[in-house]
Every structure is written in structure tokens, then in C-alpha cells.
Amino acid sequence: MRLFAALLGLCLLCGQIAQAQVRSYDQIIAAGELKVAVYKNFAPYSFEQGTTPRGVDVELAQALAKALGVRLTLIWAPAGEKLDDDLRDYIWRGSPLHHHQLADLMLRAPYDHDYAQRRNDQGELENGQVVMFGPYQNEQWQVAYDRRRLDSVASVAVFEQHPIGVEVDSVPSFYLTSVFNGMLAGKTHHYPGVPQAFAAMKAGKIDAVMAMRGEIDWQVHEAHDPQLALAENAYPNMGKQRWEIGMAVHESNRQLAYAVEEALESLIRDGSLQAIYQHYGLRYEVPEMYQ
């Protein structure tokens, strides 16, 4: 019994330590440090060039920390299987795989009412420990194609004859292999990531790539190839094709959310955020909240 009590006490202590890592706004300011979680190896948003952090989200995090008058500490977050896992691991509970290290703020969370209000089988909010706020980017699906092998993309039906590359297990993958009763599946080629798909297009193995607009813009920008073009076609039967990207904090830290949102609005209205996007060759649209 004494051993059981000791183990129970240790478990409770560990839980308290993990919970104590959720810092209040006052603690963040007193420490002079803002811990921001960004996705690892996710160009053009957050990646390392040598040992130098780069990307839209990295520069946004730097600007937010500067606005709050604190230094920035980046937490590089490998993407989990689901977004719920990432929010749990970096915002509210922590993970032993990451030494229970929690971020004060996480970027690239969905700004979506339906997602935020999802409930489990017991009627509880699935992400009730998290506040998602601060939309800073509009995102959508995009096709880039090589004009040397494809004249135009009037509709996705052209990919019944022309091979197109997608990231494995991505929304474009599921879409192109199922739309029109699967008639595009035979020409849909799968790659570990968007950079590999673009490399295949450069090598002439495929004629087009479909991915998120930001990733497509970055790859086209980096290629410096005037023969690469952006399609303007629609995606029938795809469901949600445009969405907003925002941020997340622990639900107990709304004061931090208010301060970050105020700083974000200034960066949007004075053009600083648009300049960051342009630096990486990305198009930028002001989210509806700030229009």
C-alpha cells in the first residue's frame, strides 16, 4: 500500500508539473520570453536553412514577440497524425516524447467555428482546453502545371490524361483519386511531400502538382521557371476549398490571446504581414475579420 501511495503521489506530482508549464501572461512578460510552437520542416511557413530559422510563421512569431517586448523561443513541432494531437501535445497537456514542454502560443491552427465546437461522444468539447483565435492567413487548394506539357487547366478533368502529383495521404490525394468515380486515380501520383512532387514535375515525370496555395506559391517562387503556371480551375464536389489559419493558446490564457491579437492586427493593417508573405513569394489576402 505504501508503494502504491508513493506511485500515486508521484503521478499527481508529474501532472502538477505538466500543468505548471502553462504560463500566464504575467509570467511570460516577467520571464521576458514567448514560447511559440511552429511546425518542423514545413516550408514556406517554418523551416531551417542551415541553422537559421526561416519561414512566414517564424517571422510572424518574431514580430509578435517584438511587439510584446519579449524574446522569442521557437518550439519545433513535428506534425502529429491529427491536429487534435498537436494541440494536446503543445498547448494543454504536453507529451513525454517532447519532455512535456508546452508552448505559450501555437501558430497554424484553424480559425474555424465548427472545428472549435466539435464534441465527443460524451458531449464535451474535443478541444475545450484550447482557444483558437487570430486569423492571419487565407488558405486554399491550388494546382501548378508545366506549360511545356500542358496548355491549360480548364478543369481537373484534364488529369484523366495528364499525370498530376500530390502528397500522400493529403486532401488532394483523396480528392483526385475519388472524384468523377475515380477516373483520375490512374494519373494521380503520390510523393512524400510537395517538394518531391515538384522535383518530379521538373524531371518531366508529371505535368502538374496540387497542394495548398502557400506551398505551391513557394515552390513556384523557388523554381524561377517562367514555364510553371498557376491554374484557376474550380474543384467540384470537394467540399470546403478555402479556410482561415489562426493561432491557439491554452483556454486559461486569454489575456495572452488578447495581447497577441492586438499586435497581429497592427501587423496586418500596417502591411508588415503582407511584406513577410511577399518575401517568400506568397500571395496574401487579408482575413475577413480585418477587412
Side-chain angles (χ1 to χ4, degrees):
M1 288 296 293
R2 284 197 295 269
L3 177 61
F4 175 76
L7 290 173
L8 179 61
L10 179 61
C11 290
L12 291 173
L13 177 60
C14 290
Q16 290 170 354
I17 292 172
Q19 183 65 29
Q21 291 178 318
V22 178
R23 303 188 302 168
S24 70
Y25 177 74
D26 289 341
Q27 289 172 323
I28 292 167
I29 298 302
E33 175 193 39
L34 179 68
K35 298 179 182 179
V36 180
V38 295
Y39 282 110
K40 187 175 182 179
N41 298 328
F42 191 28
Y45 304 115
S46 43
F47 61 102
E48 289 183 284
Q49 193 167 56
T51 58
T52 303
R54 294 197 63 208
V56 168
D57 287 353
V58 169
E59 293 195 23
L60 172 56
Q62 291 169 341
L64 292 173
K66 181 178 179 181
L68 296 181
V70 296
R71 67 183 180 276
L72 172 67
T73 296
L74 289 174
I75 296 177
W76 295 99
E81 291 187 6
K82 299 187 300 181
L83 176 61
D84 294 355
D85 298 335
D86 301 334
L87 294 172
R88 177 196 64 223
D89 288 351
Y90 295 101
I91 291 297
W92 63 270
R93 192 174 76 184
S95 166
L97 296 176
H98 312 300
H99 310 290
H100 289 285
Q101 180 178 215
L102 294 182
D104 305 310
L105 175 71
M106 186 169 187
L107 300 188
R108 205 143 294 276
Y111 184 73
D112 182 281
H113 179 268
D114 292 338
Y115 179 81
Q117 294 301 311
R118 287 191 319 170
R119 296 181 180 270
N120 59 25
D121 294 338
Q122 288 74 46
E124 302 167 331
L125 289 173
E126 292 187 355
N127 291 293
Q129 301 90 342
V130 177
V131 173
M132 286 169 272
F133 70 102
Y136 64 90
Q137 177 190 350
N138 289 315
E139 188 59 275
Q140 65 183 64
W141 301 112
Q142 177 71 59
V143 167
Y145 64 97
D146 192 325
R147 286 187 286 214
R148 285 167 290 225
R149 296 185 296 276
L150 184 57
D151 292 334
S152 65
V153 181
S155 77
V156 292
V158 302
F159 300 119
E160 187 178 11
Q161 303 297 327
H162 292 270
I164 182 171
V166 295
E167 183 175 4
V168 65
D169 292 335
S170 64
V171 172
S173 168
F174 294 121
Y175 173 69
L176 290 173
T177 54
S178 61
V179 72
F180 304 146
N181 296 317
M183 76 177 194
L184 311 182
K187 291 291 186 179
T188 302
H189 295 219
H190 294 85
Y191 298 91
V194 177
Q196 292 86 349
F198 259 79
M201 183 164 64
K202 182 178 180 180
K205 297 178 181 179
I206 55 175
D207 298 344
V209 176
M210 182 177 176
M212 289 190 296
R213 182 175 68 177
E215 292 181 282
I216 292 287
D217 283 355
W218 165 250
Q219 292 295 332
V220 171
H221 176 261
E222 289 296 287
H224 303 291
D225 185 346
Q227 294 303 315
L228 297 183
L230 301 174
E232 297 182 0
N233 58 287
Y235 303 101
N237 304 319
M238 192 177 187
K240 193 166 189 177
Q241 301 182 31
R242 291 173 57 88
W243 62 98
E244 291 185 327
I245 300 295
M247 313 178 187
V249 299
H250 192 273
E251 60 85 21
S252 66
N253 213 356
R254 294 175 186 269
Q255 187 176 1
L256 173 62
Y258 297 146
V260 168
E261 200 160 44
E262 182 178 355
L264 172 64
E265 183 170 359
S266 295
L267 294 172
I268 290 175
R269 297 202 182 282
D270 69 10
S272 297
L273 189 54
Q274 182 175 2
I276 292 174
Y277 275 76
Q278 289 176 340
H279 180 213
Y280 291 91
L282 276 60
R283 288 165 284 177
Y284 183 72
E285 298 177 17
V286 176
E288 184 177 355
M289 175 182 290
Y290 306 106
Q291 292 180 3

